[in-house]
Amino acid sequence: MQHPHSSCPKSFRCLMPRTMESQITMEKTPSYFVTRETPRRISAMSRDTKLIVVVRDPVTRVISDYTQTLSKTPDLPSFQDLAFQNQSLGLVDTSWNAIRIGMYALHLENWLRYFPLSQIHFVNGERLITDPAGELARVQDFLGLKRIVTDKHFYFNRTKGFPCLKKPESSSSPRCLGKSKGRTHIQIDHDTIEQLRDFYRPYNVKFYEMVGHDFRWE
């Protein structure tokens, strides 16, 4: 999230560092995009805020979500028990937050009540892995910044399976994802994956139409 310096209303802007007109302040929280009250509150703080959202294939996302939660809660019910009200009928349980997060079109509708699409940039989560510099070049363009971050700033970490930042001058070690990230996903059977793809397909198509870009999540 990016916004210009402004007076400090009674909001979380008060908790952020003061910035000059030539600077930007950025803040990130994964739950912002899917929390219903957030667009209204951010709009009340600054309607000029620029918003960056990383999206990925919602089927991959929900499996990743479950894998990470399972690592912290070993007695978690099975993926299928959480994902479906009735799997034999293909009824997906949208009350499970991990499922609901991937229904991007619903969340975007709420944001578009307060912000124009031109102030929202969607980062392709798959390309962020395969071409991190390319995705960040688009982010820098969106923010009106000079393209400083390039390929030379990344290396691929085979253990994590993700690109990492090379060692910056101010640090003794490279910057990479935390211990809870980059885990091998649990194996989900083909039929379950196809049921989830069928469920998400109409939401994906609507999302593509809303943002004017086909992410090809199939």
Side-chain angles (χ1 to χ4, degrees), residues 7-179:
S7 59
C8 188
K10 293 181 179 179
S11 70
F12 55 67
R13 176 65 181 104
C14 302
L15 303 175
M16 297 179 185
R18 293 183 62 83
T19 50
M20 305 294 288
E21 288 293 336
S22 61
Q23 297 176 312
I24 60 174
T25 302
M26 300 189 72
E27 199 268 351
K28 68 178 180 69
T29 299
S31 61
Y32 278 168
F33 186 59
V34 300
T35 303
R36 186 156 189 83
E37 288 299 307
T38 303
R40 179 189 61 77
R41 295 179 66 188
I42 292 178
S43 177
M45 178 192 71
S46 172
R47 299 177 74 176
D48 295 327
T49 298
K50 288 186 176 181
L51 305 143
I52 300 170
V53 185
V54 181
V55 290
R56 66 188 299 195
D57 182 330
V59 175
T60 307
R61 202 218 67 78
V62 71
I63 295 171
S64 175
D65 191 318
Y66 179 82
T67 299
Q68 186 171 357
T69 304
L70 184 64
S71 71
K72 301 172 184 176
T73 315
D75 60 345
L76 200 65
S78 73
F79 179 87
Q80 286 81 358
D81 285 347
L82 291 171
F84 295 92
Q85 291 180 348
N86 186 322
Q87 188 171 5
S88 63
L89 296 177
L91 296 177
V92 173
D93 191 346
T94 58
S95 68
W96 185 28
N97 196 48
I99 286 286
R100 193 165 184 82
I101 288 173
M103 298 160 69
Y104 302 133
L106 294 185
H107 308 306
L108 181 56
E109 282 181 339
N110 188 34
W111 281 92
L112 292 179
R113 294 171 57 202
Y114 298 92
F115 293 94
L117 188 62
S118 60
Q119 284 177 224
I120 309 176
H121 177 74
F122 292 93
V123 174
N124 185 317
E126 284 76 29
R127 280 208 311 239
L128 188 59
I129 296 171
T130 60
D131 180 24
E135 279 304 298
L136 286 178
R138 283 178 275 273
V139 169
Q140 290 169 99
D141 290 347
F142 172 68
L143 295 176
L145 300 173
K146 181 180 177 181
R147 287 191 178 186
I148 295 175
V149 180
T150 63
D151 281 323
K152 69 180 182 181
H153 293 94
F154 296 94
Y155 75 97
F156 189 80
N157 185 308
R158 294 185 180 278
T159 302
K160 287 285 184 184
F162 286 94
C164 299
L165 284 170
K166 290 181 179 178
K167 186 181 79 169
E169 294 180 5
S170 60
S171 174
S172 60
S173 62
R175 292 291 302 274
C176 205
L177 292 169
K179 292 181 180 180

